[in-house]
Amino acid sequence: LSVITQTGGSAAAAVASGLGEGQRLLSRAKRGWVWNQMFVLEEFSGPDPILVGRLHTDLDVGGRNIKYVLAGEGAGTIFAINELTGDIHAMKRLDREEKAEYTLTAQVVNADTDEPLEPPSEFIIKVQDINDNPPQFIEGPYRASVPEMSAVGTPVTRVTATDADDPVYGNSAKLIYSILEGQPYFSVDPNSATIKIALHGMDREMREEYLVVIQAKDMGGHSGGLSGTTTVTVTLTDINDNPPKFSKSLYEFTIPEDLPIGKMGGKVKANDRDIGDNAKSTYNIIEGDDQGMFEIITDSQTQEGILRLKKPLDYETRRAYTLKVEATNVRSEPGSGGPFRDTATVKIVVDDSDEPPIFSKPVYSLEVNENAPINTVIGMVAARDPDSTGSQVRYFIDRHTDMERQFNINADDGKITLAKPLDRETDMWHNITVTAMEVRNHSQISRAIVAIRVMDINDNAPEFANEYEAFLCENGKPGQVIQTVSAVDKDDPVQGHSFNYRLVPEIAKKFHLCVYVFSSLTDNSISVVAKHDAFRRQKQEMYFLPIIVTDNGNPPMSSTNTLTIRVCGCSSDGTVLSCNVEAYVLPIGLSMGALIAILACIILLLVIVVLFVTLRRHKNEPLIIKDDEDVRENIIRYDDEGGGEEDTEAFDIATLQNPDGINGYLPRKDIKPDLQFMPRAGQHSGPNGVDVDEFINVRLHEADNDPTAPPYDSIQIYGYEGRGSIAGSLSSLETASSDSDQNYDYLREWGPRFRRLGELYSVGESDRET
């Protein structure tokens, strides 16, 4: 207890410590008073009030009218004071974990006037802890894992409990841990709460999960203390401690010999009690496959070994295989001596299948001259039945690869012969497919490609590379190069092309003496040069020079080609100016500029005359609008009933005619056709004429198939109203001899368009005679 000494006062206070009922600790000193500043009270939960302490003053003598007043934390609510006696009681539950100290102020006042008789005195009420809170595992329940087969003492996890009691007062918060459930597999350190392995050789494959119950007890584990528990779920994790094991020591598979390469022939499985990557295995063939016929792969999903074919099987060559297959773990534990393994025997029996014929070669290459006669044997193919029965084979040519049927094949021996003449210049190679089929089983078919190369012979004569047209200056000098010409040959000789050029014998002497000579070049071309300078356009404007070109083939081929040479007027530097005969059409001394000026004047005069005539014509034309001041809806009135020239030019009148009267092909007016076709036959009407619907369908079909028509839809308007009109026949318009007296007044009821027509028909007798 702490003690405060105060001197110079006239009164002293006594404070009870609360350790005993009514116990008072007073201490007196000379010339003053001493009192205890702190009350200590254990926390309690009620329900009855408990005395905390008692206040006393020296003024309380002689029956003076005084009272005690309490203020501060909890005054009047948690703590109450007896005004007469000074006793302080705790009225409510005191919990140290909520509030450990209260600071209060006590004072003595006059009971009648509430006038302070002494200065206020401050004191502290301290709540002392009791063991009223059990330990709690805030983070529980727990989950932990540890590898299987761990050594004894291997830590698994650590748990932690908390106690809300005062850790520095007594043993209320001192915790001791123990294991209630989970023995003998696990143990717990009583102070650190570390859970450890307690049993050797814990195997996940035997048991994977354990439930451990841990208790925490306060008061140092002594009796009377409070406790709390939590659960820890411990899972053993897998290690690779189990080898793969084949379910059978011997596997037997029957595989057909026509099994495609890469297809599955069988499955093997090595089981492993481990899980995850520890259970993964790879498979290998370690014996019995010297020829590399098989392979085994691992299915990543099922961990099965898939046996597949790497090379084709042949029942006639080998009918059984015995393989030794090994399964090996992918992962291994350190110190285990390497990965675990297991082996099994796989016996494979080859089943005989009806196989298709086999060609001696997959691709045949043959050669034939392009001048080979029909039925020439080009070569042959051969195929055999690989089965032990040995069926006969017949041969055919796939005509999809020989659309022109240029080759034939003997169905029995496979000899390929020529059916039509060949031309290397058209097709140098012919690739055909030959089919071999078993006679015994027509479904067994195999194919081979036959590449036939057409060998070249000299069957094409050389000819000029282009249509040459040379120009010769009439004022040129002798030896001037007129044109360089070259030749081409469709043939392709092995030694290359070599051409010989010469003139036609009948003309050679004439041209050699007075016109041309040849100069050979190194690139199989020649240059034509002028022999003299006596060429004049007035004398001869064009020369045609026949040249014979001969190749070096065996036998050689030749052709005659004509070189056209024009005599032209040239400038001093040899530039061609004009190649027409001006001397015959122009007077002497008239230049080209003067001629152009004369032509320009003539054209100008013609333009003036045309403009004058056009203006006169428009001036004489009458106005077609009767009332210029009443043009409301842009209605154009015509003096005559029919359309004018503008109407006939605006659309095709032929499309408005009666389909019975159309003869011949009428070209379209909306485009200019690129091609002209023969006129089509006219539509001949039957006894009842042509139906309009049929007529329009015919025209639509012709328009859809007309290559000269543009790719857009065009609207055709037909004025033919068809058969069966209620207006009857209008043939009286075409003849003056009709004596019909029919009344056409009913036409006026059809509207303004037919009113005029009714007036034309409803004429008098005198008008009809006229």
Side-chain angles (χ1 to χ4, degrees):
L1 298 176
S2 60
V3 177
I4 298 176
T5 303
Q6 182 177 351
T7 61
S10 59
V15 181
S17 64
L19 299 178
E21 175 70 19
Q23 184 179 1
R24 180 186 309 166
L25 295 178
L26 288 176
S27 175
R28 295 186 178 271
K30 186 179 179 180
R31 298 181 64 188
W33 54 270
V34 179
W35 67 297
N36 196 338
Q37 187 192 11
M38 180 179 293
F39 293 99
V40 177
L41 177 67
E42 287 187 348
E43 58 182 339
F44 76 101
S45 57
D48 297 331
I50 184 171
L51 179 66
V52 177
R54 179 174 298 164
L55 299 179
H56 185 73
T57 178
D58 293 341
L59 298 179
D60 189 10
V61 293
R64 298 184 63 177
N65 190 14
I66 63 172
K67 67 177 179 179
Y68 295 90
V69 179
L70 186 66
E73 295 177 341
T77 57
I78 300 176
F79 302 100
I81 188 170
N82 191 316
E83 296 179 350
L84 299 178
T85 64
D87 294 339
I88 300 174
H89 288 82
M91 308 301 294
K92 293 184 179 180
R93 178 179 180 273
L94 296 178
D95 189 356
R96 188 201 66 84
E97 286 72 36
E98 292 182 0
K99 191 171 180 63
E101 291 182 353
Y102 296 90
T103 301
L104 299 171
T105 301
Q107 191 174 22
V108 178
V109 298
N110 190 296
D112 299 327
T113 63
D114 291 335
E115 178 181 357
L117 301 179
E118 286 185 353
S121 298
E122 185 179 89
F123 63 94
I124 296 173
I125 298 177
K126 184 176 181 181
V127 181
Q128 182 174 307
D129 182 49
I130 64 173
N131 188 22
D132 61 342
N133 290 282
Q136 292 183 352
F137 292 90
I138 305 301
E139 300 177 358
Y142 297 85
R143 297 193 67 88
S145 61
V146 64
E148 62 175 332
M149 299 295 176
S150 296
V152 175
T154 301
V156 177
T157 188
R158 180 181 178 183
V159 297
T160 301
T162 59
D163 195 320
D165 293 327
D166 191 355
V168 299
Y169 180 78
N171 294 326
S172 298
K174 185 177 181 181
L175 304 180
I176 297 296
Y177 297 91
S178 61
I179 183 169
L180 300 181
E181 185 178 341
Q183 297 174 330
Y185 307 104
F186 301 96
S187 63
V188 64
D189 187 281
N191 296 316
S192 64
T194 300
I195 300 174
K196 302 178 181 179
I197 296 292
L199 183 64
H200 177 74
M202 297 179 66
D203 191 0
R204 184 200 67 83
E205 286 73 33
M206 298 297 295
R207 182 177 177 182
E208 184 176 5
E209 194 171 86
Y210 297 84
L211 183 65
V212 179
V213 178
I214 301 297
Q215 182 190 61
K217 191 173 183 181
D218 58 13
M219 299 299 292
H222 295 101
S223 60
L226 303 177
S227 64
T229 60
T230 188
T231 59
V232 181
T233 302
V234 180
T235 303
L236 299 182
T237 59
D238 184 58
I239 65 172
N240 192 11
D241 59 341
N242 292 281
K245 186 69 176 178
F246 282 102
S247 58
K248 296 188 295 185
S249 60
L250 176 63
Y251 294 85
E252 293 184 355
F253 302 112
T254 299
I255 300 177
E257 64 172 331
D258 58 353
L259 181 70
I261 295 177
K263 294 297 182 180
M264 182 184 67
K267 294 182 181 180
V268 297
K269 177 66 180 296
N271 298 311
D272 196 321
R273 297 178 62 192
D274 297 322
I275 60 175
D277 293 340
N278 295 323
K280 293 182 179 179
S281 300
T282 58
Y283 298 86
N284 296 285
I285 300 174
I286 58 177
E287 290 182 11
D289 190 24
D290 300 335
Q291 299 178 355
M293 301 292 293
F294 304 93
E295 67 177 352
I296 188 168
I297 63 172
T298 304
D299 190 325
S300 60
Q301 301 296 327
T302 62
Q303 290 300 308
E304 293 177 315
I306 309 299
L307 189 66
R308 301 193 309 185
L309 197 62
K310 289 180 61 178
K311 295 180 180 179
L313 297 174
D314 188 5
Y315 173 82
E316 289 71 26
T317 303
R318 187 171 178 178
R319 302 185 179 184
Y321 297 85
T322 300
L323 309 177
K324 189 174 183 180
V325 178
E326 180 183 65
T328 306
N329 273 155
V330 176
R331 296 181 57 183
S332 61
E333 294 295 332
S336 62
F340 297 112
R341 310 171 186 270
D342 192 24
T343 59
T345 301
V346 178
K347 185 175 181 180
I348 299 173
V349 177
V350 181
D351 189 16
D352 188 22
S353 301
D354 190 3
E355 301 174 85
I358 299 176
F359 280 94
S360 59
K361 299 178 182 178
V363 178
Y364 293 84
S365 181
L366 306 178
E367 294 181 350
V368 58
N369 291 329
E370 62 178 325
N371 63 342
I374 305 300
N375 296 326
T376 298
V377 177
I378 302 173
M380 68 179 298
V381 297
R384 65 176 182 85
D385 183 9
D387 297 324
S388 57
T389 55
S391 174
Q392 186 180 355
V393 177
R394 296 181 66 84
Y395 304 91
F396 304 94
I397 292 178
D398 186 354
R399 292 304 177 183
H400 291 91
T401 61
D402 184 25
M403 302 294 291
E404 298 181 359
R405 295 182 174 267
Q406 290 187 309
F407 305 96
N408 290 326
I409 189 171
N410 190 302
D412 298 324
D413 57 14
K415 290 182 179 180
I416 300 175
T417 57
L418 188 63
K420 291 183 180 181
L422 299 174
D423 184 8
R424 188 201 68 86
E425 287 69 39
T426 302
D427 289 309
M428 184 183 299
W429 285 92
H430 295 271
N431 296 319
I432 63 174
T433 301
V434 176
T435 302
M437 181 183 65
E438 289 185 11
V439 175
R440 184 185 59 188
N441 186 357
H442 292 176
S443 63
Q444 295 299 326
I445 297 175
S446 60
R447 293 174 174 83
I449 297 175
V450 180
I452 302 174
R453 181 181 181 183
V454 182
M455 305 303 293
D456 184 44
I457 64 170
N458 193 29
D459 59 344
N460 290 279
E463 56 186 13
F464 278 173
N466 297 295
E467 293 289 338
Y468 294 104
E469 184 177 11
F471 301 95
L472 172 64
C473 293
E474 60 180 351
N475 58 352
K477 298 179 180 180
Q480 175 187 0
V481 177
I482 302 173
Q483 180 71 42
T484 298
V485 297
S486 60
V488 293
D489 195 332
K490 295 181 180 179
D491 296 322
D492 187 17
V494 178
Q495 64 276 15
H497 290 294
S498 178
F499 301 124
N500 179 32
Y501 300 86
R502 59 189 176 89
L503 294 175
V504 175
E506 293 78 6
I507 309 175
K509 184 176 180 181
K510 174 182 176 183
F511 282 176
H512 178 69
L513 292 177
C514 61
V515 187
Y516 307 96
V517 295
F518 293 96
S519 175
S520 299
L521 301 178
T522 57
D523 58 351
N524 277 329
S525 63
I526 63 168
S527 293
V528 181
V529 298
K531 183 65 176 177
H532 56 79
D533 58 354
F535 300 100
R536 295 294 179 268
R537 283 176 287 174
Q538 294 83 355
K539 182 179 179 181
Q540 186 172 349
E541 181 185 4
M542 299 181 64
Y543 293 88
F544 299 98
L545 183 63
I547 301 175
I548 299 176
V549 186
T550 306
D551 60 17
N552 60 335
N554 186 19
M557 301 289 291
S558 62
S559 65
T560 301
N561 301 266
T562 301
L563 175 63
T564 302
I565 303 175
R566 291 182 178 270
V567 181
C568 304
C570 303
S571 63
S572 60
D573 59 353
T575 303
V576 177
L577 298 178
S578 177
C579 293
N580 57 347
V581 188
E582 296 176 355
Y584 292 155
V585 298
L586 298 177
I588 298 175
L590 188 60
S591 63
M592 180 62 68
L595 179 59
I596 294 175
I598 293 172
L599 292 176
C601 292
I602 295 173
I603 293 173
L604 182 59
L605 290 174
L606 291 175
V607 171
I608 293 174
V609 171
V610 171
L611 291 175
F612 179 74
V613 173
T614 303
L615 292 174
R616 288 289 304 273
R617 182 177 179 183
H618 283 288
K619 184 176 181 181
N620 295 331
E621 288 181 355
L623 295 176
I624 59 174
I625 301 178
K626 290 184 177 181
D627 190 359
D628 294 335
E629 298 179 356
D630 191 18
V631 183
R632 300 179 181 177
E633 299 180 357
N634 294 330
I635 301 176
I636 298 176
R637 302 174 182 271
Y638 295 92
D639 293 334
D640 54 346
E641 296 180 9
E645 294 179 357
E646 294 81 359
D647 293 338
T648 59
E649 292 297 329
F651 51 85
D652 188 1
I653 292 296
T655 60
L656 304 179
Q657 295 178 354
N658 189 328
D660 297 340
I662 294 178
N663 289 318
Y665 174 75
L666 295 176
R668 299 173 61 95
K669 289 299 184 65
D670 52 347
I671 63 170
K672 181 179 179 180
D674 295 331
L675 302 173
Q676 294 295 334
F677 295 88
M678 293 299 293
R680 61 173 180 263
Q683 300 288 344
H684 299 287
S685 61
N688 296 325
V690 177
D691 184 62
V692 174
D693 182 61
E694 180 181 357
F695 167 74
I696 294 176
N697 290 333
V698 171
R699 289 296 180 268
L700 288 176
H701 177 75
E702 292 175 353
D704 291 340
N705 295 275
D706 186 358
T708 65
Y712 55 82
D713 295 333
S714 60
I715 301 175
Q716 303 259 358
I717 302 175
Y718 298 90
Y720 175 63
E721 65 178 357
R723 304 295 189 273
S725 173
I726 61 174
S729 174
L730 302 179
S731 60
S732 59
L733 294 176
E734 301 177 1
T735 174
S737 60
S738 175
D739 56 352
S740 174
D741 57 351
Q742 183 177 355
N743 186 5
Y744 294 96
D745 293 337
Y746 66 93
L747 293 176
R748 300 179 180 180
E749 300 175 358
W750 290 4
R753 295 184 178 181
F754 293 90
R755 187 176 297 113
R756 181 60 177 169
L757 185 61
E759 293 174 359
L760 293 176
Y761 273 77
S762 301
V763 297
E765 186 67 19
S766 60
D767 293 336
R768 184 181 296 112
E769 291 177 358
T770 303

